[in-house]
PDB file of all heavy atoms in Angstrom:
ATOM      1  N   ALA A   1      74.513 117.293 160.260  1.00 83.00           N
ATOM      2  CA  ALA A   1      73.620 117.588 159.136  1.00 83.00           C
ATOM      3  C   ALA A   1      73.889 116.680 157.942  1.00 83.00           C
ATOM      4  O   ALA A   1      73.272 116.855 156.889  1.00 83.00           O
ATOM      5  CB  ALA A   1      73.790 119.048 158.715  1.00 83.00           C
ATOM      6  N   ASN A   2      74.777 115.714 158.097  1.00 84.00           N
ATOM      7  CA  ASN A   2      75.163 114.837 156.996  1.00 84.00           C
ATOM      8  C   ASN A   2      74.548 113.453 157.157  1.00 84.00           C
ATOM      9  O   ASN A   2      74.370 112.968 158.279  1.00 84.00           O
ATOM     10  CB  ASN A   2      76.688 114.711 156.926  1.00 84.00           C
ATOM     11  CG  ASN A   2      77.365 116.049 156.713  1.00 84.00           C
ATOM     12  OD1 ASN A   2      76.870 116.888 155.951  1.00 84.00           O
ATOM     13  ND2 ASN A   2      78.494 116.262 157.378  1.00 84.00           N
ATOM     14  N   VAL A   3      74.260 112.807 156.025  1.00 85.00           N
ATOM     15  CA  VAL A   3      73.788 111.427 156.001  1.00 85.00           C
ATOM     16  C   VAL A   3      74.992 110.528 155.737  1.00 85.00           C
ATOM     17  O   VAL A   3      75.659 110.674 154.721  1.00 85.00           O
ATOM     18  CB  VAL A   3      72.709 111.219 154.928  1.00 85.00           C
ATOM     19  CG1 VAL A   3      72.265 109.758 154.909  1.00 85.00           C
ATOM     20  CG2 VAL A   3      71.522 112.133 155.171  1.00 85.00           C
ATOM     21  N   CYS A   4      75.272 109.610 156.648  1.00 87.00           N
ATOM     22  CA  CYS A   4      76.432 108.730 156.547  1.00 87.00           C
ATOM     23  C   CYS A   4      75.978 107.290 156.321  1.00 87.00           C
ATOM     24  O   CYS A   4      74.905 106.892 156.781  1.00 87.00           O
ATOM     25  CB  CYS A   4      77.298 108.808 157.803  1.00 87.00           C
ATOM     26  SG  CYS A   4      77.938 110.461 158.148  1.00 87.00           S
ATOM     27  N   GLU A   5      76.794 106.545 155.626  1.00 88.00           N
ATOM     28  CA  GLU A   5      76.499 105.134 155.343  1.00 88.00           C
ATOM     29  C   GLU A   5      77.734 104.298 155.631  1.00 88.00           C
ATOM     30  O   GLU A   5      78.839 104.642 155.211  1.00 88.00           O
ATOM     31  CB  GLU A   5      76.077 104.970 153.882  1.00 88.00           C
ATOM     32  CG  GLU A   5      75.698 103.539 153.505  1.00 88.00           C
ATOM     33  CD  GLU A   5      75.221 103.422 152.080  1.00 88.00           C
ATOM     34  OE1 GLU A   5      74.742 104.435 151.528  1.00 88.00           O
ATOM     35  OE2 GLU A   5      75.339 102.320 151.512  1.00 88.00           O
ATOM     36  N   ASP A   6      77.564 103.205 156.369  1.00 89.00           N
ATOM     37  CA  ASP A   6      78.682 102.339 156.742  1.00 89.00           C
ATOM     38  C   ASP A   6      78.230 100.884 156.714  1.00 89.00           C
ATOM     39  O   ASP A   6      77.026 100.593 156.765  1.00 89.00           O
ATOM     40  CB  ASP A   6      79.200 102.662 158.148  1.00 89.00           C
ATOM     41  CG  ASP A   6      80.030 103.918 158.182  1.00 89.00           C
ATOM     42  OD1 ASP A   6      81.030 103.970 157.436  1.00 89.00           O
ATOM     43  OD2 ASP A   6      79.689 104.863 158.920  1.00 89.00           O
ATOM     44  N   LEU A   7      79.219  99.994 156.650  1.00 89.00           N
ATOM     45  CA  LEU A   7      78.963  98.564 156.803  1.00 89.00           C
ATOM     46  C   LEU A   7      78.792  98.267 158.286  1.00 89.00           C
ATOM     47  O   LEU A   7      79.711  98.489 159.080  1.00 89.00           O
ATOM     48  CB  LEU A   7      80.116  97.753 156.223  1.00 89.00           C
ATOM     49  CG  LEU A   7      80.051  96.235 156.425  1.00 89.00           C
ATOM     50  CD1 LEU A   7      78.872  95.639 155.685  1.00 89.00           C
ATOM     51  CD2 LEU A   7      81.346  95.583 155.968  1.00 89.00           C
ATOM     52  N   LEU A   8      77.611  97.792 158.690  1.00 91.00           N
ATOM     53  CA  LEU A   8      77.356  97.538 160.101  1.00 91.00           C
ATOM     54  C   LEU A   8      77.941  96.207 160.536  1.00 91.00           C
ATOM     55  O   LEU A   8      78.654  96.127 161.535  1.00 91.00           O
ATOM     56  CB  LEU A   8      75.844  97.572 160.367  1.00 91.00           C
ATOM     57  CG  LEU A   8      75.417  97.472 161.834  1.00 91.00           C
ATOM     58  CD1 LEU A   8      76.025  98.608 162.647  1.00 91.00           C
ATOM     59  CD2 LEU A   8      73.905  97.473 161.964  1.00 91.00           C
ATOM     60  N   PHE A   9      77.662  95.127 159.802  1.00 89.00           N
ATOM     61  CA  PHE A   9      78.250  93.831 160.135  1.00 89.00           C
ATOM     62  C   PHE A   9      78.158  92.901 158.935  1.00 89.00           C
ATOM     63  O   PHE A   9      77.409  93.147 157.978  1.00 89.00           O
ATOM     64  CB  PHE A   9      77.574  93.190 161.355  1.00 89.00           C
ATOM     65  CG  PHE A   9      76.134  92.794 161.143  1.00 89.00           C
ATOM     66  CD1 PHE A   9      75.803  91.618 160.496  1.00 89.00           C
ATOM     67  CD2 PHE A   9      75.101  93.603 161.596  1.00 89.00           C
ATOM     68  CE1 PHE A   9      74.484  91.246 160.296  1.00 89.00           C
ATOM     69  CE2 PHE A   9      73.777  93.238 161.409  1.00 89.00           C
ATOM     70  CZ  PHE A   9      73.472  92.063 160.759  1.00 89.00           C
ATOM     71  N   CYS A  10      78.935  91.838 159.006  1.00 89.00           N
ATOM     72  CA  CYS A  10      78.900  90.750 158.027  1.00 89.00           C
ATOM     73  C   CYS A  10      78.999  89.454 158.813  1.00 89.00           C
ATOM     74  O   CYS A  10      80.060  89.134 159.350  1.00 89.00           O
ATOM     75  CB  CYS A  10      80.027  90.889 157.019  1.00 89.00           C
ATOM     76  SG  CYS A  10      80.076  89.557 155.794  1.00 89.00           S
ATOM     77  N   LYS A  11      77.907  88.713 158.903  1.00 87.00           N
ATOM     78  CA  LYS A  11      77.834  87.519 159.727  1.00 87.00           C
ATOM     79  C   LYS A  11      77.623  86.279 158.855  1.00 87.00           C
ATOM     80  O   LYS A  11      76.884  86.310 157.864  1.00 87.00           O
ATOM     81  CB  LYS A  11      76.664  87.618 160.727  1.00 87.00           C
ATOM     82  CG  LYS A  11      76.768  88.787 161.705  1.00 87.00           C
ATOM     83  CD  LYS A  11      77.823  88.536 162.751  1.00 87.00           C
ATOM     84  CE  LYS A  11      77.809  89.620 163.816  1.00 87.00           C
ATOM     85  NZ  LYS A  11      78.840  89.385 164.848  1.00 87.00           N
ATOM     86  N   GLU A  12      78.287  85.197 159.254  1.00 85.00           N
ATOM     87  CA  GLU A  12      78.131  83.942 158.528  1.00 85.00           C
ATOM     88  C   GLU A  12      76.787  83.303 158.861  1.00 85.00           C
ATOM     89  O   GLU A  12      76.368  83.274 160.023  1.00 85.00           O
ATOM     90  CB  GLU A  12      79.261  82.979 158.879  1.00 85.00           C
ATOM     91  CG  GLU A  12      79.218  81.679 158.091  1.00 85.00           C
ATOM     92  CD  GLU A  12      80.370  80.760 158.418  1.00 85.00           C
ATOM     93  OE1 GLU A  12      81.216  81.157 159.243  1.00 85.00           O
ATOM     94  OE2 GLU A  12      80.421  79.649 157.864  1.00 85.00           O
ATOM     95  N   MET A  13      76.119  82.781 157.838  1.00 83.00           N
ATOM     96  CA  MET A  13      74.827  82.121 158.015  1.00 83.00           C
ATOM     97  C   MET A  13      75.074  80.624 158.159  1.00 83.00           C
ATOM     98  O   MET A  13      75.298  79.930 157.167  1.00 83.00           O
ATOM     99  CB  MET A  13      73.917  82.430 156.828  1.00 83.00           C
ATOM    100  CG  MET A  13      73.577  83.910 156.679  1.00 83.00           C
ATOM    101  SD  MET A  13      72.806  84.306 155.095  1.00 83.00           S
ATOM    102  CE  MET A  13      71.457  83.136 155.073  1.00 83.00           C
ATOM    103  N   THR A  14      75.050  80.155 159.382  1.00 79.00           N
ATOM    104  CA  THR A  14      75.315  78.738 159.639  1.00 79.00           C
ATOM    105  C   THR A  14      74.063  77.888 159.478  1.00 79.00           C
ATOM    106  O   THR A  14      74.162  76.689 159.213  1.00 79.00           O
ATOM    107  CB  THR A  14      75.871  78.555 161.053  1.00 79.00           C
ATOM    108  OG1 THR A  14      74.957  79.131 162.006  1.00 79.00           O
ATOM    109  CG2 THR A  14      77.223  79.253 161.196  1.00 79.00           C
ATOM    110  N   ASP A  15      72.894  78.478 159.644  1.00 76.00           N
ATOM    111  CA  ASP A  15      71.633  77.740 159.507  1.00 76.00           C
ATOM    112  C   ASP A  15      71.064  77.948 158.105  1.00 76.00           C
ATOM    113  O   ASP A  15      71.769  78.359 157.185  1.00 76.00           O
ATOM    114  CB  ASP A  15      70.633  78.195 160.575  1.00 76.00           C
ATOM    115  CG  ASP A  15      71.140  77.896 161.985  1.00 76.00           C
ATOM    116  OD1 ASP A  15      71.847  76.891 162.146  1.00 76.00           O
ATOM    117  OD2 ASP A  15      70.834  78.675 162.903  1.00 76.00           O
ATOM    118  N   THR A  16      69.788  77.694 157.960  1.00 76.00           N
ATOM    119  CA  THR A  16      69.120  77.889 156.679  1.00 76.00           C
ATOM    120  C   THR A  16      68.923  79.381 156.427  1.00 76.00           C
ATOM    121  O   THR A  16      69.166  80.210 157.301  1.00 76.00           O
ATOM    122  CB  THR A  16      67.758  77.174 156.667  1.00 76.00           C
ATOM    123  OG1 THR A  16      66.921  77.739 157.701  1.00 76.00           O
ATOM    124  CG2 THR A  16      67.933  75.693 156.922  1.00 76.00           C
ATOM    125  N   GLY A  17      68.464  79.697 155.221  1.00 75.00           N
ATOM    126  CA  GLY A  17      68.235  81.088 154.865  1.00 75.00           C
ATOM    127  C   GLY A  17      66.815  81.537 155.112  1.00 75.00           C
ATOM    128  O   GLY A  17      66.326  82.455 154.438  1.00 75.00           O
ATOM    129  N   LYS A  18      66.131  80.910 156.078  1.00 83.00           N
ATOM    130  CA  LYS A  18      64.759  81.306 156.389  1.00 83.00           C
ATOM    131  C   LYS A  18      64.744  82.665 157.075  1.00 83.00           C
ATOM    132  O   LYS A  18      65.739  83.119 157.633  1.00 83.00           O
ATOM    133  CB  LYS A  18      64.101  80.259 157.284  1.00 83.00           C
ATOM    134  CG  LYS A  18      63.931  78.898 156.625  1.00 83.00           C
ATOM    135  CD  LYS A  18      63.255  77.924 157.571  1.00 83.00           C
ATOM    136  CE  LYS A  18      63.065  76.558 156.923  1.00 83.00           C
ATOM    137  NZ  LYS A  18      62.437  75.582 157.854  1.00 83.00           N
ATOM    138  N   ALA A  19      63.568  83.296 157.039  1.00 84.00           N
ATOM    139  CA  ALA A  19      63.434  84.626 157.623  1.00 84.00           C
ATOM    140  C   ALA A  19      63.744  84.621 159.116  1.00 84.00           C
ATOM    141  O   ALA A  19      64.370  85.544 159.639  1.00 84.00           O
ATOM    142  CB  ALA A  19      62.020  85.165 157.379  1.00 84.00           C
ATOM    143  N   SER A  20      63.321  83.561 159.803  1.00 86.00           N
ATOM    144  CA  SER A  20      63.564  83.490 161.252  1.00 86.00           C
ATOM    145  C   SER A  20      65.053  83.408 161.566  1.00 86.00           C
ATOM    146  O   SER A  20      65.535  84.019 162.528  1.00 86.00           O
ATOM    147  CB  SER A  20      62.833  82.285 161.847  1.00 86.00           C
ATOM    148  OG  SER A  20      63.245  81.079 161.196  1.00 86.00           O
ATOM    149  N   ASP A  21      65.811  82.662 160.735  1.00 86.00           N
ATOM    150  CA  ASP A  21      67.257  82.561 160.948  1.00 86.00           C
ATOM    151  C   ASP A  21      67.949  83.895 160.680  1.00 86.00           C
ATOM    152  O   ASP A  21      68.859  84.296 161.420  1.00 86.00           O
ATOM    153  CB  ASP A  21      67.847  81.479 160.054  1.00 86.00           C
ATOM    154  CG  ASP A  21      67.267  80.104 160.353  1.00 86.00           C
ATOM    155  OD1 ASP A  21      66.955  79.848 161.526  1.00 86.00           O
ATOM    156  OD2 ASP A  21      67.119  79.302 159.414  1.00 86.00           O
ATOM    157  N   LEU A  22      67.521  84.579 159.612  1.00 88.00           N
ATOM    158  CA  LEU A  22      68.114  85.883 159.307  1.00 88.00           C
ATOM    159  C   LEU A  22      67.811  86.888 160.409  1.00 88.00           C
ATOM    160  O   LEU A  22      68.692  87.663 160.824  1.00 88.00           O
ATOM    161  CB  LEU A  22      67.585  86.395 157.960  1.00 88.00           C
ATOM    162  CG  LEU A  22      67.841  85.509 156.733  1.00 88.00           C
ATOM    163  CD1 LEU A  22      67.228  86.122 155.498  1.00 88.00           C
ATOM    164  CD2 LEU A  22      69.333  85.311 156.529  1.00 88.00           C
ATOM    165  N   PHE A  23      66.579  86.870 160.893  1.00 88.00           N
ATOM    166  CA  PHE A  23      66.206  87.820 161.947  1.00 88.00           C
ATOM    167  C   PHE A  23      66.958  87.522 163.238  1.00 88.00           C
ATOM    168  O   PHE A  23      67.334  88.450 163.973  1.00 88.00           O
ATOM    169  CB  PHE A  23      64.698  87.751 162.192  1.00 88.00           C
ATOM    170  CG  PHE A  23      64.239  88.674 163.290  1.00 88.00           C
ATOM    171  CD1 PHE A  23      64.154  90.045 163.072  1.00 88.00           C
ATOM    172  CD2 PHE A  23      63.901  88.178 164.542  1.00 88.00           C
ATOM    173  CE1 PHE A  23      63.745  90.900 164.085  1.00 88.00           C
ATOM    174  CE2 PHE A  23      63.491  89.025 165.552  1.00 88.00           C
ATOM    175  CZ  PHE A  23      63.405  90.381 165.322  1.00 88.00           C
ATOM    176  N   ALA A  24      67.212  86.241 163.528  1.00 89.00           N
ATOM    177  CA  ALA A  24      67.950  85.885 164.743  1.00 89.00           C
ATOM    178  C   ALA A  24      69.364  86.459 164.704  1.00 89.00           C
ATOM    179  O   ALA A  24      69.886  86.932 165.732  1.00 89.00           O
ATOM    180  CB  ALA A  24      67.991  84.365 164.908  1.00 89.00           C
ATOM    181  N   ILE A  25      70.005  86.444 163.526  1.00 89.00           N
ATOM    182  CA  ILE A  25      71.353  87.005 163.396  1.00 89.00           C
ATOM    183  C   ILE A  25      71.331  88.508 163.650  1.00 89.00           C
ATOM    184  O   ILE A  25      72.162  89.050 164.402  1.00 89.00           O
ATOM    185  CB  ILE A  25      71.919  86.704 161.999  1.00 89.00           C
ATOM    186  CG1 ILE A  25      72.090  85.191 161.810  1.00 89.00           C
ATOM    187  CG2 ILE A  25      73.252  87.419 161.783  1.00 89.00           C
ATOM    188  CD1 ILE A  25      72.504  84.792 160.405  1.00 89.00           C
ATOM    189  N   ILE A  26      70.363  89.193 163.050  1.00 90.00           N
ATOM    190  CA  ILE A  26      70.291  90.651 163.198  1.00 90.00           C
ATOM    191  C   ILE A  26      69.931  91.025 164.628  1.00 90.00           C
ATOM    192  O   ILE A  26      70.538  91.919 165.239  1.00 90.00           O
ATOM    193  CB  ILE A  26      69.259  91.233 162.207  1.00 90.00           C
ATOM    194  CG1 ILE A  26      69.607  90.819 160.778  1.00 90.00           C
ATOM    195  CG2 ILE A  26      69.211  92.752 162.310  1.00 90.00           C
ATOM    196  CD1 ILE A  26      68.522  91.135 159.769  1.00 90.00           C
ATOM    197  N   ASP A  27      68.938  90.344 165.198  1.00 90.00           N
ATOM    198  CA  ASP A  27      68.471  90.683 166.542  1.00 90.00           C
ATOM    199  C   ASP A  27      69.559  90.439 167.592  1.00 90.00           C
ATOM    200  O   ASP A  27      69.724  91.241 168.524  1.00 90.00           O
ATOM    201  CB  ASP A  27      67.224  89.854 166.869  1.00 90.00           C
ATOM    202  CG  ASP A  27      66.549  90.307 168.149  1.00 90.00           C
ATOM    203  OD1 ASP A  27      66.338  91.527 168.303  1.00 90.00           O
ATOM    204  OD2 ASP A  27      66.243  89.446 168.995  1.00 90.00           O
ATOM    205  N   SER A  28      70.327  89.359 167.443  1.00 90.00           N
ATOM    206  CA  SER A  28      71.402  89.097 168.410  1.00 90.00           C
ATOM    207  C   SER A  28      72.468  90.183 168.340  1.00 90.00           C
ATOM    208  O   SER A  28      73.011  90.592 169.369  1.00 90.00           O
ATOM    209  CB  SER A  28      72.015  87.721 168.150  1.00 90.00           C
ATOM    210  OG  SER A  28      72.622  87.674 166.863  1.00 90.00           O
ATOM    211  N   TYR A  29      72.764  90.662 167.123  1.00 90.00           N
ATOM    212  CA  TYR A  29      73.750  91.738 167.008  1.00 90.00           C
ATOM    213  C   TYR A  29      73.230  93.016 167.667  1.00 90.00           C
ATOM    214  O   TYR A  29      73.981  93.723 168.352  1.00 90.00           O
ATOM    215  CB  TYR A  29      74.066  91.995 165.534  1.00 90.00           C
ATOM    216  CG  TYR A  29      75.018  93.153 165.317  1.00 90.00           C
ATOM    217  CD1 TYR A  29      76.392  92.952 165.386  1.00 90.00           C
ATOM    218  CD2 TYR A  29      74.555  94.429 165.057  1.00 90.00           C
ATOM    219  CE1 TYR A  29      77.275  93.995 165.209  1.00 90.00           C
ATOM    220  CE2 TYR A  29      75.425  95.492 164.873  1.00 90.00           C
ATOM    221  CZ  TYR A  29      76.785  95.265 164.944  1.00 90.00           C
ATOM    222  OH  TYR A  29      77.651  96.322 164.773  1.00 90.00           O
ATOM    223  N   MET A  30      71.956  93.329 167.465  1.00 91.00           N
ATOM    224  CA  MET A  30      71.382  94.535 168.067  1.00 91.00           C
ATOM    225  C   MET A  30      71.430  94.466 169.590  1.00 91.00           C
ATOM    226  O   MET A  30      71.742  95.450 170.270  1.00 91.00           O
ATOM    227  CB  MET A  30      69.931  94.710 167.583  1.00 91.00           C
ATOM    228  CG  MET A  30      69.781  94.941 166.095  1.00 91.00           C
ATOM    229  SD  MET A  30      70.531  96.484 165.543  1.00 91.00           S
ATOM    230  CE  MET A  30      70.009  96.540 163.838  1.00 91.00           C
ATOM    231  N   LYS A  31      71.143  93.281 170.137  1.00 90.00           N
ATOM    232  CA  LYS A  31      71.160  93.133 171.595  1.00 90.00           C
ATOM    233  C   LYS A  31      72.573  93.213 172.152  1.00 90.00           C
ATOM    234  O   LYS A  31      72.803  93.816 173.202  1.00 90.00           O
ATOM    235  CB  LYS A  31      70.510  91.806 171.988  1.00 90.00           C
ATOM    236  CG  LYS A  31      69.002  91.760 171.744  1.00 90.00           C
ATOM    237  CD  LYS A  31      68.421  90.406 172.118  1.00 90.00           C
ATOM    238  CE  LYS A  31      66.922  90.360 171.880  1.00 90.00           C
ATOM    239  NZ  LYS A  31      66.348  89.022 172.184  1.00 90.00           N
ATOM    240  N   GLU A  32      73.531  92.604 171.452  1.00 89.00           N
ATOM    241  CA  GLU A  32      74.913  92.633 171.931  1.00 89.00           C
ATOM    242  C   GLU A  32      75.467  94.046 171.997  1.00 89.00           C
ATOM    243  O   GLU A  32      76.262  94.365 172.887  1.00 89.00           O
ATOM    244  CB  GLU A  32      75.796  91.778 171.019  1.00 89.00           C
ATOM    245  CG  GLU A  32      75.548  90.277 171.130  1.00 89.00           C
ATOM    246  CD  GLU A  32      76.337  89.493 170.097  1.00 89.00           C
ATOM    247  OE1 GLU A  32      77.128  90.142 169.358  1.00 89.00           O
ATOM    248  OE2 GLU A  32      76.166  88.263 170.029  1.00 89.00           O
ATOM    249  N   ASN A  33      75.058  94.894 171.062  1.00 89.00           N
ATOM    250  CA  ASN A  33      75.599  96.249 170.989  1.00 89.00           C
ATOM    251  C   ASN A  33      74.637  97.313 171.515  1.00 89.00           C
ATOM    252  O   ASN A  33      74.906  98.513 171.356  1.00 89.00           O
ATOM    253  CB  ASN A  33      75.973  96.577 169.535  1.00 89.00           C
ATOM    254  CG  ASN A  33      77.088  95.706 169.012  1.00 89.00           C
ATOM    255  OD1 ASN A  33      78.261  95.985 169.225  1.00 89.00           O
ATOM    256  ND2 ASN A  33      76.728  94.630 168.326  1.00 89.00           N
ATOM    257  N   ASN A  34      73.519  96.860 172.130  1.00 89.00           N
ATOM    258  CA  ASN A  34      72.554  97.787 172.743  1.00 89.00           C
ATOM    259  C   ASN A  34      72.035  98.829 171.746  1.00 89.00           C
ATOM    260  O   ASN A  34      71.931 100.025 172.055  1.00 89.00           O
ATOM    261  CB  ASN A  34      73.172  98.489 173.954  1.00 89.00           C
ATOM    262  CG  ASN A  34      73.510  97.526 175.075  1.00 89.00           C
ATOM    263  OD1 ASN A  34      72.760  96.593 175.339  1.00 89.00           O
ATOM    264  ND2 ASN A  34      74.641  97.730 175.727  1.00 89.00           N
TER     265      ASN A  34
END
């Protein structure tokens, strides 16, 4: 019944800061951890 908040990940941005690059970092993490 509680709402919890945590740090999910902190990833280094090796490419540009475009939306596609940011989404690639997030999507790869989601796939790795199912």
Side-chain angles (χ1 to χ4, degrees):
N2 300 321
V3 179
C4 300
E5 182 177 336
D6 284 303
L7 175 65
L8 186 59
F9 66 81
C10 179
K11 299 287 187 180
E12 184 178 359
M13 297 168 53
T14 56
D15 297 328
T16 61
K18 296 181 180 178
S20 57
D21 299 327
L22 301 178
F23 178 75
I25 296 174
I26 304 170
D27 189 48
S28 63
Y29 177 85
M30 296 296 187
K31 291 178 180 177
E32 290 174 4
N33 295 276
N34 296 321

